[in-house]
């Protein structure tokens, strides 16, 4: 028998009222957790909507003279919002893939000039993913399959630990990707 007072020691002797109270307490904890999760989700969704509205209103006044500046400001906002270290637009044309716009955190080296007219056929795993026109999510370079060794080497050259690329489509034709690179941390937030 434990060394605490006899009055507190009651192995497996709970009455129905105590069991009901424990059940109510457990349900309250679950409800509070669910409410907190729902509140966090709603707050996050509201932040996304606010960012979308801010970016949309920015582009209402876009013209040829200021479009590059507006795209770069948008990339900064998207990068900061997603806690990325680098955000960019890769455009596709007959000459290959080119990094046409880029924002980098102050401590991160730009890759814009090194990614001009890249022949995606040199990177077969990436090329297949790109042609699927779906999001490409790499939480860690260690998650890449063995057949993506060229891509892994290129990502390591760019000091990328994780990335997300979302296709940009025009009438179901892939024209580019919006990319987010994580250089300081592996996991996307």
């Amino acid at each position: 028998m434990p060394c605490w007072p006899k009055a507190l020691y009651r192995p497996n002797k709970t009455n129905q009222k105590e069991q009901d109270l424990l059940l109510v307490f457990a349900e309250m904890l679950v409800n509070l957790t669910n409410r907190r999760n729902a509140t966090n989700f709603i707050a996050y969704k509201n932040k996304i909507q606010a960012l979308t509205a801010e970016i949309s209103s920015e582009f209402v006044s876009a013209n040829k003279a200021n479009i590059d500046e507006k795209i770069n400001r948008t990339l900064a906002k998207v990068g900061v919002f997603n806690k990325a270290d680098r955000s960019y637009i890769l455009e596709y044309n007959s000459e290959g893939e080119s990094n046409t716009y880029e924002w980098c955190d102050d401590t991160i080296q730009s890759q814009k000039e090194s990614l001009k007219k890249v022949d995606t056929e040199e990177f077969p795993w990436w090329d297949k993913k790109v042609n699927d026109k779906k999001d490409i999510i790499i939480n860690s370079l260690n998650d890449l399959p063995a057949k993506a060794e060229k891509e892994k080497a290129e990502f390591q050259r760019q000091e990328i630990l994780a990335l997300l690329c979302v296709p940009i489509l025009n009438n179901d034709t892939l024209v580019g990707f919006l990319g987010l690179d994580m250089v300081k941390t592996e996991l996307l937030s």
Side-chain angles (χ1 to χ4, degrees):
M1 185 162 109
C3 59
W4 54 67
K6 226 179 191 182
L8 296 177
Y9 180 67
R10 298 176 5 192
N12 301 326
K13 291 185 181 178
T14 57
N15 63 33
Q16 187 61 43
K17 186 176 180 180
E18 289 172 329
Q19 289 177 5
D20 291 345
L21 284 173
L22 287 172
L23 182 61
V24 167
F25 181 69
E27 287 175 357
M28 285 174 45
L29 285 174
V30 168
N31 287 339
L32 287 172
T33 301
N34 289 343
R35 182 177 290 173
R36 186 183 66 227
N37 290 343
T39 301
N40 290 345
F41 176 75
I42 290 168
Y44 180 72
K45 190 173 179 179
N46 288 341
K47 287 179 184 178
I48 289 174
Q49 289 173 342
L51 178 64
T52 302
E54 184 181 337
I55 290 169
S56 297
S57 66
E58 178 91 20
F59 280 97
V60 167
S61 63
N63 57 46
K64 284 185 179 184
N66 67 12
I67 190 70
D68 290 345
E69 175 188 336
K70 290 181 181 288
I71 291 171
N72 285 323
R73 266 203 310 258
T74 296
L75 287 174
K77 290 175 185 179
V78 169
V80 169
F81 181 84
N82 288 287
K83 299 178 183 145
D85 302 308
R86 184 184 301 122
S87 60
Y88 49 89
I89 293 179
L90 294 175
E91 290 186 44
Y92 291 96
N93 59 37
S94 60
E95 297 177 349
E97 172 185 283
S98 292
N99 184 336
T100 52
Y101 296 94
E102 182 184 63
W103 165 85
C104 296
D105 182 68
D106 294 337
T107 61
I108 303 302
Q109 183 177 353
S110 171
Q111 296 298 317
K112 185 176 178 180
E113 295 308 314
S114 69
L115 295 173
K116 298 289 185 196
K117 299 179 184 176
V118 175
D119 182 3
T120 58
E121 290 179 6
E122 291 181 31
F123 302 99
W125 180 85
W126 181 263
D127 194 43
K128 181 186 179 326
K129 292 287 186 185
V130 164
N131 288 319
D132 286 345
K133 300 176 191 170
K134 294 183 181 170
D135 296 353
I136 301 171
I137 302 169
I138 302 171
N139 288 316
S140 168
L141 297 188
N142 294 328
D143 295 342
L144 288 169
K147 61 185 172 186
E149 65 186 52
K150 286 183 175 182
E151 290 82 353
K152 185 174 184 176
E154 176 61 18
F155 296 149
Q156 288 171 330
R157 182 194 68 75
Q158 297 177 48
E159 299 179 337
I160 296 171
L161 299 176
L163 67 84
L164 166 68
C165 284
V166 179
I168 301 170
L169 302 172
N170 182 11
N171 294 324
D172 202 43
T173 300
L174 182 70
V175 294
F177 269 91
L178 167 65
L180 300 170
D181 291 350
M182 308 326 177
V183 176
K184 298 175 189 170
T185 182
E186 270 194 346
L187 301 175
L188 297 167
S189 9

